[in-house]
Amino acid sequence: MGICTGRTVIITGAARGLGRSYALAFAAEGANVVVNDIGTSLTGEGRDTSAADAVVAAIQAAGGRAIANHEDIADWDAAKRIVDATIAAFGGLDVVVNNAGIVRDRMFVSAAPEEWDATMHVHLRGHFCLSRHAVDYWRAQQKAGKAVDARIINTSSGAGLQGSIAQAAYSTAKGGIAALTLVQAAELGRYGITANALAPAARTRMTEGAFADKMAKVDTGFDKQDPDNIAPTVVWLGSAQSAHVTGCVFELEGGRITIETGWNLGPTVERDCRWRPREVGDAVNLLLAERPAPRRVWGS
């Protein structure tokens, strides 16, 4: 009996890469899986539903339960249809894994508003729409006197936590998702809902192009960049065992699990009077000398 037996999970962007690994791993641990994917290119263009259907076929062939869903997560009404279809198929919903995303790499000086808007639309609005409808369902369940033990698992990125050259829009969206997770965790615990986020590093369509050498498959030994390495932590976060964990951002790579410490207060100077402009520089220089060295922006 798996740790997610009887639980139902929606996974967005589940046709390939990390999402596919999550779907197969959840199913192997007994979950009912909704494989949501509209089958776009990396830049969010085109549609192909066959990849999502193939993941469902693989789960069913292994004895699991799954359905495919090809709705657009960033469409408010379509996101509700995803939740409704899940409940109709499996009788409920326990976990939402917001994994789908696109990338429009561009140096900031060349960035176009259309690319910026498209990136925000899929990542931020996509995370919002599906989770919002799921929360409506869980709140209604609680008001009806039913126990709720629900999970929102969001996807941030190292780019969102420390920035990445040529990825201003993507980094901004992913940083916003980390902040959204903190707010969800603070607000939704009263309803039996936890919210956590991932910053995964693994071999996907996105990373193979940007970090070809690092993401290359190895001939022998542990394949650190295999997306299947990320899935166990995600499945555990979706299980009943993780009910005490909320408001965390997990950086995951290979066999490494890290919990981010977030934006904590650093070195401080304070006095009981107003600073004069000419005095601020010396104070800031003192603080810069005392603070730990920050992680470098990716690509710098």
Side-chain angles (χ1 to χ4, degrees), residues 24-258:
L24 296 174
F26 266 105
E29 289 293 333
N32 307 313
V33 181
V34 177
V35 178
N36 168 265
D37 203 303
I38 62 175
T40 67
S41 68
L42 273 177
T43 56
E45 298 161 328
R47 288 207 174 199
D48 177 10
T49 60
S50 63
D53 295 338
V55 176
V56 170
I59 291 172
Q60 292 174 341
R65 302 181 69 201
I67 61 170
N69 180 278
H70 309 118
E71 298 277 10
D72 183 351
I73 57 169
D75 180 302
W76 175 253
D77 294 331
K80 185 176 189 305
R81 290 195 295 269
I82 298 171
V83 173
D84 290 345
T86 300
I87 297 166
F90 299 119
L93 171 63
D94 302 287
V95 185
V96 169
V97 180
N98 290 305
N99 169 72
I102 65 169
V103 66
R104 300 282 183 93
D105 287 354
R106 190 82 66 188
M107 297 297 284
F108 185 75
V109 296
S110 303
E114 295 79 13
E115 295 168 334
W116 181 275
D117 291 345
T119 304
M120 299 304 157
H121 184 76
V122 174
H123 288 279
L124 292 175
R125 185 179 170 91
H127 270 63
F128 167 75
C129 289
L130 183 58
S131 297
R132 179 67 170 73
H133 287 301
V135 167
D136 280 350
Y137 166 72
W138 291 324
R139 288 182 66 205
Q141 292 291 102
Q142 190 202 55
K143 289 180 179 179
K146 299 178 181 178
V148 174
D149 187 25
R151 308 283 181 269
I152 297 173
I153 303 173
N154 295 325
T155 303
S156 182
S157 168
L161 302 177
Q162 64 190 91
S164 179
I165 286 178
Q167 291 190 318
Y170 182 78
S171 297
T172 300
K174 290 303 191 181
I177 288 167
L180 169 66
T181 303
L182 300 180
V183 176
Q184 288 174 327
E187 292 184 355
L188 302 178
R190 73 191 72 177
Y191 306 114
I193 305 165
T194 70
N196 294 285
L198 316 169
R203 186 185 307 110
T204 67
R205 290 190 298 171
M206 285 187 185
T207 58
E208 281 183 310
F211 309 105
D213 292 341
K214 181 179 179 180
M215 295 298 159
K217 292 184 179 180
V218 297
D219 295 327
T220 59
F222 179 48
D223 186 358
K224 186 176 180 180
Q225 302 305 332
D226 189 332
D228 289 349
N229 298 330
I230 308 300
T233 300
V234 182
V235 173
W236 182 83
L237 285 171
S239 75
Q241 296 179 10
S242 68
H244 62 295
V245 179
T246 194
C248 295
V249 177
F250 291 84
E251 251 196 290
L252 307 170
E253 181 178 20
R256 175 173 61 85
I257 302 172
T258 301

